[in-house]
Amino acid sequence: GANAYDMCTMLKEDLKDEHIEFFRKKTDRKNKNIARVVDRNDFINKMLIKYSSDADSPYLLNLLDKSFELDTKETRRKCQNINKSWDKQLKKVAKMIDLPKISPMWARHQRGTHLKEQELSLEEINLLYGHGDMKTTEAYIHNLPTTKKIKNLAQKLDSELM
């Protein structure tokens, strides 16, 4: 359930032995006590090694320079630019592997659909995504390419990234 801003501003203190625990910045003010958790697996651990920030940076990933402060216009603008860059890269990858046009938001919706296919309840997905309204969560759950097709493409992509 992390968006680009969340990923940019994750702190080293968010990294735990078996997961990354953070509060979504978008909904932090509404849901101060609801942590988002991303389980650590081999892929996440390799990405953490590859994209870790410098030792003196408070940030987990090397997306922001240590001089960027949380919740400033400058930081939000930088994170928006990073998101735009990711969007362009994702579209290039999608074209290479014959997927329709996709975006980071599409990927987020696909993940929600996948979670529903794994029989998580809408309430559980709502909690995971940090939505304030169940209607928002329901909008995430719709017909997208099958999980099997997406899983196969994701494995192909993961192997190319390693």
Side-chain angles (χ1 to χ4, degrees):
N3 61 27
Y5 188 78
D6 292 336
M7 291 180 68
C8 289
T9 58
M10 279 183 189
L11 301 172
K12 288 180 181 171
E13 64 192 44
D14 297 335
L15 184 63
K16 312 298 183 206
D17 287 336
E18 295 186 13
H19 61 270
I20 302 169
E21 183 176 309
F22 64 98
F23 292 90
R24 289 218 46 227
K25 307 306 185 281
K26 180 178 177 184
T27 54
D28 192 25
R29 289 179 209 98
K30 294 179 188 174
N31 301 310
K32 289 187 182 243
N33 297 321
I34 302 174
R36 306 295 171 244
V37 176
V38 176
D39 290 331
R40 291 177 66 175
N41 58 31
D42 288 340
F43 178 77
I44 296 287
N45 289 332
K46 287 177 184 176
M47 292 296 107
L48 287 171
I49 291 167
K50 186 172 183 175
Y51 298 107
S52 290
S53 64
D54 295 336
D56 60 343
S57 173
Y59 299 111
L60 182 59
L61 304 173
N62 65 353
L63 299 167
L64 293 178
D65 183 85
K66 64 183 176 187
S67 65
F68 282 90
E69 295 180 27
L70 292 175
D71 294 323
T72 65
K73 286 183 182 180
E74 180 185 25
T75 301
R76 288 206 174 270
R77 194 171 335 152
K78 175 69 174 175
C79 294
Q80 286 171 348
N81 288 336
I82 289 169
N83 189 53
K84 286 178 187 177
S85 173
W86 290 349
D87 186 48
K88 287 179 185 177
Q89 294 301 316
L90 189 56
K91 286 177 181 173
K92 285 180 186 177
V93 170
K95 188 175 182 177
M96 288 171 31
I97 59 175
D98 294 327
L99 273 180
K101 282 187 174 180
I102 60 175
S103 66
M105 185 55 73
W106 177 92
R108 191 167 154 79
H109 281 246
Q110 177 59 40
R111 178 70 175 145
T113 300
H114 177 69
L115 292 171
K116 184 64 178 167
E117 288 175 351
Q118 290 182 319
E119 300 185 8
L120 266 72
S121 69
L122 283 177
E123 291 79 12
E124 291 169 315
I125 298 169
N126 178 277
L127 182 63
L128 178 66
Y129 275 46
H131 295 147
D133 186 337
M134 191 63 74
K135 289 181 182 180
T136 305
T137 304
E138 289 171 355
Y140 274 62
I141 312 305
H142 43 74
N143 294 325
L144 293 170
T146 66
T147 300
K148 183 177 180 179
K149 180 177 180 180
I150 295 298
K151 186 176 180 179
N152 290 339
L153 292 170
Q155 287 173 343
K156 178 181 175 185
L157 180 59
D158 288 352
S159 67
E160 290 176 13
L161 289 173
M162 301 274 177

